[in-house]
Amino acid sequence: MHAAARRWWLRLHRWLGLGLGLALAVVAFTGASMIVLEPLDQRLHRELFAAATPDAPPASLDAMRLAVVQRHGAQASFTMRPPRAPGDTFWVRVNGPWHGTVYVDPSTASILGHRGEREGVFNFLFELHSTLLLGDAGKPLLAVIALSYLFLLATGLVLWWPRNWRQAWRMRFDGGATRSLFDLHRVAGSLLGIVIAVSVASGAYMAWKPLSRLVTAISGDAPAKPPVVTSVPGAAASLQAMARTAQALFPQAAIGYVQFTPQPSKPVRFRLKLPDDPHPNGLTSVWFHPVTGAVLALHRWDELDAGTKGNSYMYPLHTGELGGVAHEVLNAVCGFALFGLGLTGTWLWWRRRRTRGPAPAQRAGSAWRRHPF
């Protein structure tokens, strides 16, 4: 590569990394940490995550609704998550004056405990990872940070691309810390960069809704929308009856989530997990009238618009659930590797600033002079 072009690529890689690298490293570290901490968190807080009587028959969804609405009132919206495995508790996400998760005993509908959305190490890491603690305003920023990694990857690969492939993966650890970290940064970035890009790009896709809307617009599909509810006076219809209807419509489906608000102007949504849906929570939806219990709409996951349907693949790609435990371990490794790339890149830049001049440059080694960071 021509020396002037190389300097241009180097500056682009360096300043983009320094400008957004710290935030990218934080997001990578928190994402990898959550993979490790989630099972540990559930083991350490069994009072929230383990049912007292796992073999007892489950309480009705209506009993669950009554328990949480009485506690949090009619101004909140709720997302119920039934147990996914024997012994799990029933989770209810609350979005209202109070934001957090309520943990309910699945057989008695008694509330076991609460956690605010930033309460506890795992929840704090999740909020930092998914919003940078900025709420909805953090999601477009996260998308920009995630997409910037693709430019970092491209510039890094251009700088790494070897003339001699025998030297492409060579690492030396006898030339001091600077040379060792430089080789580690170079080789790890080239080896894991593409795999990391899959997780980063899928995270950007989920974080910023305009990306999925763009995919839908390009495909020419009509975007899926919740049905409109015609207000009818009366008491709320039975969630348990809705569940029976939903599972009659899709006999092989498991209920992933039940989303509702006590307000009669919003439909009740049952999200179902079909056997052929790669999304671990399911994207098939049955929409019900909140008062009459009538079915308002059916949205099967593979019949959704292209942008929304893409989440069936993007979500498990990002979390690692698509490929099971091995994929989750790989995602954790890549997350920590991206964190390490951010740290080594910053350290190499700082080290280079301190070692400018003829003598320090000679100590850094000829390869370091050819590839200054």
Side-chain angles (χ1 to χ4, degrees):
M1 182 188 298
H2 193 275
R6 184 176 187 82
R7 285 194 296 270
W8 187 87
W9 281 106
L10 179 61
R11 290 192 185 100
L12 181 61
H13 185 81
R14 177 192 300 151
W15 294 112
L16 188 60
L18 290 172
L20 297 174
L22 178 60
L24 187 61
V26 169
V27 173
F29 180 80
T30 53
S33 298
M34 285 192 300
I35 296 175
V36 176
L37 290 177
E38 184 173 19
L40 180 61
D41 180 50
Q42 294 185 8
R43 286 181 177 273
L44 292 176
H45 299 93
R46 294 184 60 82
E47 71 279 3
L48 299 178
F49 297 102
T53 53
D55 298 326
S60 70
L61 293 176
D62 299 305
M64 299 291 181
R65 173 167 61 182
L66 179 63
V68 293
V69 170
Q70 284 182 338
R71 179 67 65 92
H72 293 282
Q75 299 303 313
S77 59
F78 302 91
T79 299
M80 292 179 167
R81 180 188 183 275
R84 302 289 173 86
D88 285 354
T89 53
F90 198 103
W91 304 356
V92 183
R93 177 75 177 174
V94 180
N95 187 12
W98 179 82
H99 297 267
T101 303
V102 181
Y103 301 90
V104 186
D105 186 274
S107 60
T108 65
S110 59
I111 294 178
L112 302 175
H114 296 72
R115 262 189 181 176
E117 62 181 357
R118 297 181 185 177
E119 184 180 349
V121 175
F122 181 83
N123 282 6
F124 177 80
L125 289 177
F126 177 81
E127 288 297 314
L128 183 58
H129 179 77
S130 59
T131 68
L132 293 176
L133 305 181
L134 297 175
D136 289 339
K139 294 183 178 181
L141 178 59
L142 274 174
V144 171
I145 292 170
L147 292 174
S148 73
Y149 170 76
L150 302 182
F151 289 98
L152 279 173
L153 173 62
T155 55
L157 288 176
V158 168
L159 293 169
W160 162 80
W161 200 263
R163 296 178 181 176
N164 181 1
W165 282 91
R166 292 182 179 179
Q167 304 295 324
W169 317 112
R170 185 180 179 185
M171 297 178 62
R172 289 179 54 188
F173 297 100
D174 57 355
T178 298
R179 173 56 195 252
S180 300
L181 285 177
F182 172 74
D183 280 352
L184 184 64
H185 184 91
R186 174 178 59 85
V187 173
S190 57
L191 278 175
L192 296 175
I194 301 298
V195 181
I196 294 172
V198 172
S199 181
V200 170
S202 59
Y205 187 90
M206 294 188 302
W208 202 36
K209 296 301 182 186
L211 291 177
S212 62
R213 293 180 193 137
L214 177 62
V215 171
T216 296
I218 292 172
S219 70
D221 293 341
K225 295 180 180 179
V228 176
V229 174
T230 302
S231 296
V232 175
S238 168
L239 291 179
Q240 198 65 38
M242 294 180 195
R244 289 193 294 267
T245 300
Q247 293 187 306
L249 292 167
F250 297 98
Q252 294 183 306
I255 297 175
Y257 290 108
V258 181
Q259 297 171 298
F260 69 95
T261 172
Q263 301 171 7
S265 59
K266 302 291 185 182
V268 176
R269 181 189 185 191
F270 276 69
R271 273 182 61 178
L272 306 177
K273 163 69 172 151
L274 295 179
D276 59 346
D277 186 351
H279 197 297
N281 302 317
L283 277 185
T284 295
S285 297
V286 182
W287 300 87
F288 293 92
H289 193 287
V291 176
T292 67
V295 175
L296 299 177
L298 299 175
H299 294 158
R300 201 182 192 280
W301 78 273
D302 53 358
E303 297 173 356
L304 294 167
D305 62 89
T308 304
K309 182 168 58 178
N311 284 295
S312 279
Y313 300 95
M314 292 297 183
Y315 181 88
L317 267 177
H318 186 70
T319 62
E321 294 176 80
L322 188 64
V325 175
H327 191 180
E328 291 182 347
V329 171
L330 177 62
N331 270 18
V333 170
C334 288
F336 288 127
L338 181 53
F339 175 70
L341 288 172
L343 290 185
T344 55
T346 303
W347 192 89
L348 288 169
W349 167 79
W350 175 78
R351 180 67 176 171
R352 177 178 178 271
R353 288 179 62 85
R354 290 194 61 191
T355 57
R356 281 179 175 173
Q362 291 174 4
R363 289 195 299 269
S366 59
W368 174 246
R369 291 197 304 274
R370 287 198 303 272
H371 306 286
F373 192 81

mmCIF file of all heavy atoms in Angstrom, residues 229-260:
data_model
loop_
_atom_site.group_PDB
_atom_site.id
_atom_site.type_symbol
_atom_site.label_atom_id
_atom_site.label_comp_id
_atom_site.label_asym_id
_atom_site.label_seq_id
_atom_site.Cartn_x
_atom_site.Cartn_y
_atom_site.Cartn_z
ATOM 1 N N VAL A 229 -58.346 -0.937 18.700
ATOM 2 C CA VAL A 229 -59.373 -1.422 19.621
ATOM 3 C C VAL A 229 -60.558 -0.467 19.613
ATOM 4 O O VAL A 229 -60.385 0.744 19.786
ATOM 5 C CB VAL A 229 -58.810 -1.561 21.049
ATOM 6 C CG1 VAL A 229 -59.923 -1.912 22.034
ATOM 7 C CG2 VAL A 229 -57.712 -2.606 21.086
ATOM 8 N N THR A 230 -61.724 -1.006 19.414
ATOM 9 C CA THR A 230 -62.960 -0.239 19.570
ATOM 10 C C THR A 230 -63.409 -0.343 21.025
ATOM 11 O O THR A 230 -63.655 -1.451 21.522
ATOM 12 C CB THR A 230 -64.066 -0.763 18.642
ATOM 13 O OG1 THR A 230 -63.606 -0.705 17.293
ATOM 14 C CG2 THR A 230 -65.329 0.062 18.780
ATOM 15 N N SER A 231 -63.467 0.785 21.697
ATOM 16 C CA SER A 231 -63.770 0.772 23.134
ATOM 17 C C SER A 231 -65.156 0.202 23.396
ATOM 18 O O SER A 231 -66.130 0.559 22.733
ATOM 19 C CB SER A 231 -63.675 2.179 23.709
ATOM 20 O OG SER A 231 -62.358 2.660 23.607
ATOM 21 N N VAL A 232 -65.209 -0.698 24.373
ATOM 22 C CA VAL A 232 -66.465 -1.307 24.812
ATOM 23 C C VAL A 232 -66.476 -1.257 26.329
ATOM 24 O O VAL A 232 -65.508 -1.682 26.970
ATOM 25 C CB VAL A 232 -66.586 -2.766 24.321
ATOM 26 C CG1 VAL A 232 -67.832 -3.420 24.894
ATOM 27 C CG2 VAL A 232 -66.602 -2.821 22.801
ATOM 28 N N PRO A 233 -67.522 -0.756 26.937
ATOM 29 C CA PRO A 233 -67.549 -0.723 28.411
ATOM 30 C C PRO A 233 -67.646 -2.128 28.979
ATOM 31 O O PRO A 233 -68.230 -3.034 28.378
ATOM 32 C CB PRO A 233 -68.807 0.093 28.714
ATOM 33 C CG PRO A 233 -69.661 -0.051 27.506
ATOM 34 C CD PRO A 233 -68.735 -0.166 26.344
ATOM 35 N N GLY A 234 -67.063 -2.301 30.145
ATOM 36 C CA GLY A 234 -67.138 -3.598 30.799
ATOM 37 C C GLY A 234 -65.839 -3.960 31.479
ATOM 38 O O GLY A 234 -64.819 -3.267 31.357
ATOM 39 N N ALA A 235 -65.884 -5.075 32.196
ATOM 40 C CA ALA A 235 -64.701 -5.560 32.908
ATOM 41 C C ALA A 235 -63.732 -6.230 31.939
ATOM 42 O O ALA A 235 -64.104 -6.630 30.834
ATOM 43 C CB ALA A 235 -65.126 -6.546 34.001
ATOM 44 N N ALA A 236 -62.479 -6.333 32.367
ATOM 45 C CA ALA A 236 -61.459 -6.969 31.534
ATOM 46 C C ALA A 236 -61.783 -8.432 31.316
ATOM 47 O O ALA A 236 -62.225 -9.137 32.225
ATOM 48 C CB ALA A 236 -60.091 -6.824 32.191
ATOM 49 N N ALA A 237 -61.557 -8.879 30.090
ATOM 50 C CA ALA A 237 -61.784 -10.283 29.764
ATOM 51 C C ALA A 237 -60.729 -11.161 30.429
ATOM 52 O O ALA A 237 -59.650 -10.692 30.830
ATOM 53 C CB ALA A 237 -61.772 -10.478 28.254
ATOM 54 N N SER A 238 -61.013 -12.440 30.522
ATOM 55 C CA SER A 238 -60.116 -13.385 31.182
ATOM 56 C C SER A 238 -58.872 -13.652 30.342
ATOM 57 O O SER A 238 -58.964 -14.040 29.172
ATOM 58 C CB SER A 238 -60.855 -14.715 31.428
ATOM 59 O OG SER A 238 -59.943 -15.724 31.806
ATOM 60 N N LEU A 239 -57.708 -13.448 30.950
ATOM 61 C CA LEU A 239 -56.459 -13.788 30.279
ATOM 62 C C LEU A 239 -56.321 -15.299 30.092
ATOM 63 O O LEU A 239 -55.759 -15.758 29.093
ATOM 64 C CB LEU A 239 -55.261 -13.264 31.081
ATOM 65 C CG LEU A 239 -55.055 -11.749 31.145
ATOM 66 C CD1 LEU A 239 -53.829 -11.427 32.002
ATOM 67 C CD2 LEU A 239 -54.896 -11.155 29.753
ATOM 68 N N GLN A 240 -56.832 -16.044 31.040
ATOM 69 C CA GLN A 240 -56.735 -17.493 30.934
ATOM 70 C C GLN A 240 -57.549 -17.995 29.735
ATOM 71 O O GLN A 240 -57.102 -18.904 29.009
ATOM 72 C CB GLN A 240 -57.234 -18.152 32.222
ATOM 73 C CG GLN A 240 -56.798 -19.605 32.395
ATOM 74 C CD GLN A 240 -55.289 -19.748 32.540
ATOM 75 O OE1 GLN A 240 -54.621 -18.925 33.173
ATOM 76 N NE2 GLN A 240 -54.740 -20.784 31.927
ATOM 77 N N ALA A 241 -58.716 -17.395 29.506
ATOM 78 C CA ALA A 241 -59.514 -17.780 28.334
ATOM 79 C C ALA A 241 -58.794 -17.394 27.044
ATOM 80 O O ALA A 241 -58.822 -18.136 26.056
ATOM 81 C CB ALA A 241 -60.885 -17.115 28.404
ATOM 82 N N MET A 242 -58.141 -16.232 27.036
ATOM 83 C CA MET A 242 -57.363 -15.830 25.861
ATOM 84 C C MET A 242 -56.230 -16.819 25.599
ATOM 85 O O MET A 242 -55.941 -17.166 24.445
ATOM 86 C CB MET A 242 -56.792 -14.427 26.068
ATOM 87 C CG MET A 242 -57.810 -13.320 26.154
ATOM 88 S SD MET A 242 -56.984 -11.712 26.404
ATOM 89 C CE MET A 242 -58.356 -10.686 26.931
ATOM 90 N N ALA A 243 -55.589 -17.276 26.675
ATOM 91 C CA ALA A 243 -54.494 -18.236 26.518
ATOM 92 C C ALA A 243 -54.991 -19.532 25.884
ATOM 93 O O ALA A 243 -54.331 -20.109 25.007
ATOM 94 C CB ALA A 243 -53.848 -18.515 27.872
ATOM 95 N N ARG A 244 -56.163 -19.993 26.291
ATOM 96 C CA ARG A 244 -56.714 -21.208 25.693
ATOM 97 C C ARG A 244 -57.010 -21.004 24.207
ATOM 98 O O ARG A 244 -56.748 -21.881 23.377
ATOM 99 C CB ARG A 244 -57.977 -21.633 26.442
ATOM 100 C CG ARG A 244 -57.720 -22.188 27.829
ATOM 101 C CD ARG A 244 -58.958 -22.879 28.385
ATOM 102 N NE ARG A 244 -60.037 -21.917 28.620
ATOM 103 C CZ ARG A 244 -60.244 -21.307 29.781
ATOM 104 N NH1 ARG A 244 -59.423 -21.527 30.824
ATOM 105 N NH2 ARG A 244 -61.256 -20.462 29.942
ATOM 106 N N THR A 245 -57.526 -19.818 23.862
ATOM 107 C CA THR A 245 -57.807 -19.525 22.457
ATOM 108 C C THR A 245 -56.521 -19.472 21.641
ATOM 109 O O THR A 245 -56.441 -20.031 20.532
ATOM 110 C CB THR A 245 -58.555 -18.187 22.341
ATOM 111 O OG1 THR A 245 -59.780 -18.256 23.068
ATOM 112 C CG2 THR A 245 -58.844 -17.850 20.892
ATOM 113 N N ALA A 246 -55.508 -18.796 22.169
ATOM 114 C CA ALA A 246 -54.236 -18.681 21.454
ATOM 115 C C ALA A 246 -53.610 -20.044 21.203
ATOM 116 O O ALA A 246 -53.114 -20.322 20.096
ATOM 117 C CB ALA A 246 -53.280 -17.783 22.245
ATOM 118 N N GLN A 247 -53.653 -20.912 22.209
ATOM 119 C CA GLN A 247 -53.034 -22.219 22.037
ATOM 120 C C GLN A 247 -53.902 -23.157 21.205
ATOM 121 O O GLN A 247 -53.383 -24.113 20.629
ATOM 122 C CB GLN A 247 -52.722 -22.813 23.404
ATOM 123 C CG GLN A 247 -51.633 -22.007 24.124
ATOM 124 C CD GLN A 247 -51.147 -22.641 25.408
ATOM 125 O OE1 GLN A 247 -51.943 -22.953 26.291
ATOM 126 N NE2 GLN A 247 -49.842 -22.804 25.529
ATOM 127 N N ALA A 248 -55.192 -22.863 21.099
ATOM 128 C CA ALA A 248 -56.028 -23.614 20.162
ATOM 129 C C ALA A 248 -55.701 -23.217 18.724
ATOM 130 O O ALA A 248 -55.735 -24.055 17.813
ATOM 131 C CB ALA A 248 -57.509 -23.369 20.468
ATOM 132 N N LEU A 249 -55.377 -21.953 18.517
ATOM 133 C CA LEU A 249 -55.007 -21.486 17.186
ATOM 134 C C LEU A 249 -53.635 -22.002 16.768
ATOM 135 O O LEU A 249 -53.399 -22.290 15.576
ATOM 136 C CB LEU A 249 -55.018 -19.951 17.156
ATOM 137 C CG LEU A 249 -56.390 -19.289 17.286
ATOM 138 C CD1 LEU A 249 -56.243 -17.792 17.553
ATOM 139 C CD2 LEU A 249 -57.213 -19.517 16.012
ATOM 140 N N PHE A 250 -52.735 -22.112 17.730
ATOM 141 C CA PHE A 250 -51.378 -22.600 17.460
ATOM 142 C C PHE A 250 -51.049 -23.684 18.488
ATOM 143 O O PHE A 250 -50.381 -23.423 19.499
ATOM 144 C CB PHE A 250 -50.368 -21.454 17.545
ATOM 145 C CG PHE A 250 -50.566 -20.376 16.525
ATOM 146 C CD1 PHE A 250 -51.240 -19.203 16.857
ATOM 147 C CD2 PHE A 250 -50.097 -20.522 15.228
ATOM 148 C CE1 PHE A 250 -51.424 -18.197 15.921
ATOM 149 C CE2 PHE A 250 -50.278 -19.525 14.284
ATOM 150 C CZ PHE A 250 -50.947 -18.363 14.626
ATOM 151 N N PRO A 251 -51.506 -24.914 18.256
ATOM 152 C CA PRO A 251 -51.408 -25.971 19.280
ATOM 153 C C PRO A 251 -49.978 -26.296 19.710
ATOM 154 O O PRO A 251 -49.754 -26.726 20.844
ATOM 155 C CB PRO A 251 -52.076 -27.170 18.603
ATOM 156 C CG PRO A 251 -52.957 -26.590 17.557
ATOM 157 C CD PRO A 251 -52.252 -25.367 17.066
ATOM 158 N N GLN A 252 -49.006 -26.118 18.831
ATOM 159 C CA GLN A 252 -47.627 -26.481 19.170
ATOM 160 C C GLN A 252 -46.845 -25.328 19.791
ATOM 161 O O GLN A 252 -45.663 -25.479 20.086
ATOM 162 C CB GLN A 252 -46.901 -26.962 17.909
ATOM 163 C CG GLN A 252 -47.458 -28.271 17.339
ATOM 164 C CD GLN A 252 -46.661 -28.723 16.138
ATOM 165 O OE1 GLN A 252 -46.470 -27.985 15.182
ATOM 166 N NE2 GLN A 252 -46.174 -29.951 16.185
ATOM 167 N N ALA A 253 -47.497 -24.204 19.995
ATOM 168 C CA ALA A 253 -46.792 -23.017 20.471
ATOM 169 C C ALA A 253 -46.747 -22.959 21.987
ATOM 170 O O ALA A 253 -47.658 -23.432 22.672
ATOM 171 C CB ALA A 253 -47.459 -21.753 19.930
ATOM 172 N N ALA A 254 -45.667 -22.378 22.497
ATOM 173 C CA ALA A 254 -45.548 -22.060 23.923
ATOM 174 C C ALA A 254 -45.734 -20.551 24.086
ATOM 175 O O ALA A 254 -45.350 -19.769 23.211
ATOM 176 C CB ALA A 254 -44.187 -22.475 24.453
ATOM 177 N N ILE A 255 -46.334 -20.143 25.184
ATOM 178 C CA ILE A 255 -46.538 -18.715 25.441
ATOM 179 C C ILE A 255 -45.222 -18.106 25.906
ATOM 180 O O ILE A 255 -44.656 -18.503 26.921
ATOM 181 C CB ILE A 255 -47.632 -18.495 26.500
ATOM 182 C CG1 ILE A 255 -48.973 -19.023 25.995
ATOM 183 C CG2 ILE A 255 -47.753 -17.016 26.846
ATOM 184 C CD1 ILE A 255 -50.084 -18.951 27.023
ATOM 185 N N GLY A 256 -44.733 -17.145 25.133
ATOM 186 C CA GLY A 256 -43.497 -16.456 25.498
ATOM 187 C C GLY A 256 -43.760 -15.269 26.408
ATOM 188 O O GLY A 256 -43.134 -15.133 27.461
ATOM 189 N N TYR A 257 -44.706 -14.430 26.013
ATOM 190 C CA TYR A 257 -45.044 -13.253 26.802
ATOM 191 C C TYR A 257 -46.537 -12.963 26.667
ATOM 192 O O TYR A 257 -47.171 -13.303 25.658
ATOM 193 C CB TYR A 257 -44.285 -12.008 26.322
ATOM 194 C CG TYR A 257 -42.801 -12.033 26.600
ATOM 195 C CD1 TYR A 257 -41.881 -12.217 25.569
ATOM 196 C CD2 TYR A 257 -42.311 -11.857 27.885
ATOM 197 C CE1 TYR A 257 -40.515 -12.232 25.813
ATOM 198 C CE2 TYR A 257 -40.955 -11.880 28.143
ATOM 199 C CZ TYR A 257 -40.062 -12.060 27.099
ATOM 200 O OH TYR A 257 -38.721 -12.082 27.356
ATOM 201 N N VAL A 258 -47.085 -12.304 27.696
ATOM 202 C CA VAL A 258 -48.436 -11.750 27.656
ATOM 203 C C VAL A 258 -48.305 -10.269 27.982
ATOM 204 O O VAL A 258 -47.827 -9.912 29.066
ATOM 205 C CB VAL A 258 -49.377 -12.438 28.665
ATOM 206 C CG1 VAL A 258 -50.778 -11.832 28.565
ATOM 207 C CG2 VAL A 258 -49.416 -13.940 28.440
ATOM 208 N N GLN A 259 -48.704 -9.411 27.057
ATOM 209 C CA GLN A 259 -48.540 -7.973 27.225
ATOM 210 C C GLN A 259 -49.924 -7.323 27.303
ATOM 211 O O GLN A 259 -50.760 -7.533 26.422
ATOM 212 C CB GLN A 259 -47.746 -7.387 26.052
ATOM 213 C CG GLN A 259 -46.327 -7.936 25.983
ATOM 214 C CD GLN A 259 -45.606 -7.521 24.703
ATOM 215 O OE1 GLN A 259 -46.021 -7.859 23.610
ATOM 216 N NE2 GLN A 259 -44.518 -6.779 24.862
ATOM 217 N N PHE A 260 -50.124 -6.533 28.357
ATOM 218 C CA PHE A 260 -51.432 -5.899 28.524
ATOM 219 C C PHE A 260 -51.290 -4.652 29.386
ATOM 220 O O PHE A 260 -50.284 -4.436 30.072
ATOM 221 C CB PHE A 260 -52.429 -6.858 29.185
ATOM 222 C CG PHE A 260 -52.131 -7.153 30.625
ATOM 223 C CD1 PHE A 260 -52.736 -6.427 31.646
ATOM 224 C CD2 PHE A 260 -51.234 -8.156 30.979
ATOM 225 C CE1 PHE A 260 -52.449 -6.687 32.981
ATOM 226 C CE2 PHE A 260 -50.949 -8.421 32.305
ATOM 227 C CZ PHE A 260 -51.564 -7.692 33.314
#
